[in-house]
């Protein structure tokens, strides 16, 4: 058994067996962050259900479940060798930023949402709103609202709307650290926040990460914002279950809220260590949340177009 990086929410091991390597994952009751952040360990079972559900109609974009031990809140899945399946986040940090791959992420993500939209049976299987509240709504939106009166009304309204929508199967943690750049396209991991909710959240969550990295990795800012644009465009092209403009407006609003949350929420982005970067992101996010001249109803594309690095230097 070899311990692997499990992020803040779980322990993960590579286990070498006679039949080949597998990955074993166990949920932690208290997450590895500075703030007191506890979450139900039953999220491991939600993740297994998400992986199996998506694997049933798109097997190439998720790892195969090998076994599970629900009473221990752990499970095993097929291990994907890093040489052929590098983590997308590592590729971005290394400067290998491919907007075309980001478009594939958008295509795969909208495919998941389209295949599960307006399905009462799937909604019943993922009635995990309390878990989503503990893992996403409270630490990302309500925690910031509790400590910042200026944006509190908008954040609370966004949180209420997010929890009231039950539209499609949501992954809940679509981040470059949870996506492998496989030879056949993206492979999604870590669906422990899965819920039947608002698909705009998944698009916003991943867009947030790309825009944060555009600030952090300045030499690659143009390619990173181009990646966000292409992902959003590919996603929008596949929206068939509701009005595309309405979803993209919700995604824009949630992206602004999540940008602020990754600076001032319970789970700040660990790579944003320079205070000038944090200040810039905080200022921009709060302006989007409160400024009438930057109304979030303009949608996700407008937000991305106004982000640092959205165009080459000198281009107006």
């Amino acid at each position: 058994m070899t311990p692997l990086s499990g992020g803040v929410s779980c322990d993960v091991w590579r286990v070498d067996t006679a039949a080949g390597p597998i990955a074993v994952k166990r949920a932690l009751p208290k997450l590895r962050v500075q703030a007191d952040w506890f979450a139900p360990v039953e999220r491991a079972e939600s993740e297994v259900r998400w992986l199996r559900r998506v694997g049933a109609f798109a097997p190439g974009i998720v790892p195969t479940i090998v076994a599970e031990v629900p009473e221990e809140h752990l499970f095993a899945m097929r291990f994907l060798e890093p040489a052929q399946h590098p983590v997308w986040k590592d590729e971005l940090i290394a400067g290998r930023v491919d907007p075309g791959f980001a478009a594939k992420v958008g295509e795969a993500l909208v495919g998941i949402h389209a295949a599960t939209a307006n399905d009462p049976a799937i909604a019943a299987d993922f009635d995990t709103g309390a878990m989503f509240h503990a893992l996403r709504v409270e630490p990302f939106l309500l925690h910031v609202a509790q400590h910042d009166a200026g944006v509190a009304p908008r954040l609370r309204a966004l949180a209420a709307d997010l929890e009231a929508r039950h539209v499609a199967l949501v992954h809940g943690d679509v981040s470059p650290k949870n996506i492998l750049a496989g030879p056949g396209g993206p492979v999604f991991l870590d669906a422990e926040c899965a819920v039947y909710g608002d698909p705009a959240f998944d698009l916003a969550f991943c867009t947030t990460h790309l825009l944060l990295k555009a600030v952090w990795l300045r030499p690659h800012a143009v390619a990173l914002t181009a990646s966000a644009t292409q992902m959003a465009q590919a996603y929008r092209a596949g929206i068939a279950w509701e009005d595309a403009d309405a979803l993209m407006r919700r995604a824009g609003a949630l992206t602004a809220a999540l940008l602020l949350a990754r600076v001032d929420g319970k789970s700040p982005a660990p790579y944003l260590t320079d205070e000038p970067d944090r200040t810039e992101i905080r200022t921009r996010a709060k302006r989007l949340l409160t400024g009438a001249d930057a109304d979030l109803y303009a949608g996700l594309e407008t937000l991305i177009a106004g982000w640092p690095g959205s165009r080459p230097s000198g281009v107006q």
Side-chain angles (χ1 to χ4, degrees), residues 81-151:
E81 293 291 346
Q84 291 78 40
H85 296 82
V87 177
W88 188 24
K89 178 182 178 181
D90 294 341
E91 294 293 285
L92 298 177
I93 292 173
R96 294 185 288 271
V97 184
D98 178 8
F101 179 80
K104 292 181 180 179
V105 172
E107 291 171 1
L109 191 59
V110 77
I112 294 169
H113 296 156
T116 60
N118 302 316
D119 189 319
I122 299 177
D125 285 344
F126 290 89
D127 183 16
T128 52
M131 201 175 320
F132 188 77
H133 179 92
L135 289 165
R136 287 293 173 261
V137 179
E138 194 284 325
F140 284 84
L141 302 183
L142 299 182
H143 179 81
V144 179
Q146 184 179 358
H147 294 88
D148 192 330
V151 293

Side-chain angles (χ1 to χ4, degrees), residues 20-247:
I22 59 175
V24 176
K25 180 176 178 180
R26 180 176 63 190
L28 296 174
K30 184 181 185 300
L31 279 61
R32 298 187 185 100
V33 295
Q34 186 174 357
D36 287 335
W37 184 0
F38 300 89
V41 288
E42 291 79 12
R43 64 188 187 273
E45 290 78 76
S46 292
E47 180 170 4
V48 170
R49 289 200 306 275
W50 188 93
L51 291 169
R52 284 180 169 154
R53 175 71 68 173
V54 173
F57 60 80
I61 66 172
V62 294
T64 302
I65 296 294
V66 175
E68 62 175 317
V69 188
E71 61 270 23
E72 297 291 342
H73 310 295
L74 63 81
F75 63 92
M77 53 192 164
R78 188 167 69 90
F79 185 82
L80 299 174
E81 293 291 346
Q84 291 78 40
H85 296 82
V87 177
W88 188 24
K89 178 182 178 181
D90 294 341
E91 294 293 285
L92 298 177
I93 292 173
R96 294 185 288 271
V97 184
D98 178 8
F101 179 80
K104 292 181 180 179
V105 172
E107 291 171 1
L109 191 59
V110 77
I112 294 169
H113 296 156
T116 60
N118 302 316
D119 189 319
I122 299 177
D125 285 344
F126 290 89
D127 183 16
T128 52
M131 201 175 320
F132 188 77
H133 179 92
L135 289 165
R136 287 293 173 261
V137 179
E138 194 284 325
F140 284 84
L141 302 183
L142 299 182
H143 179 81
V144 179
Q146 184 179 358
H147 294 88
D148 192 330
V151 293
R154 177 59 76 103
L155 290 177
R156 292 193 177 107
L158 288 173
D161 182 77
L162 179 62
E163 295 195 277
R165 291 184 185 273
H166 308 288
V167 178
L169 182 55
V170 172
H171 178 286
D173 198 6
V174 182
S175 159
K177 72 177 177 61
N178 294 332
I179 298 173
L180 305 180
V187 178
F188 294 84
L189 309 174
D190 294 345
E192 59 189 40
C193 300
V195 68
Y196 203 80
D198 188 354
F201 183 86
D202 277 345
L203 179 59
F205 202 83
C206 197
T207 301
T208 297
H209 280 275
L210 293 173
L211 297 182
L212 290 174
K213 287 171 180 59
V215 174
W216 178 45
L217 304 171
R218 295 280 182 173
H220 308 294
V222 172
L224 284 162
T225 53
S227 294
T229 297
Q230 292 199 25
M231 182 179 68
Q233 290 174 343
Y235 184 95
R236 183 193 182 101
I239 299 172
W241 61 89
E242 66 171 289
D243 179 72
D245 288 340
L247 189 147

Side-chain angles (χ1 to χ4, degrees), residues 208 211-212 254-263 281 285 288 303 307:
T208 297
L211 297 182
L212 290 174
L254 288 167
T255 298
L258 291 169
L259 285 165
L260 182 59
R262 295 319 299 262
V263 175
I281 293 166
L288 286 165
L303 186 156
W307 197 252

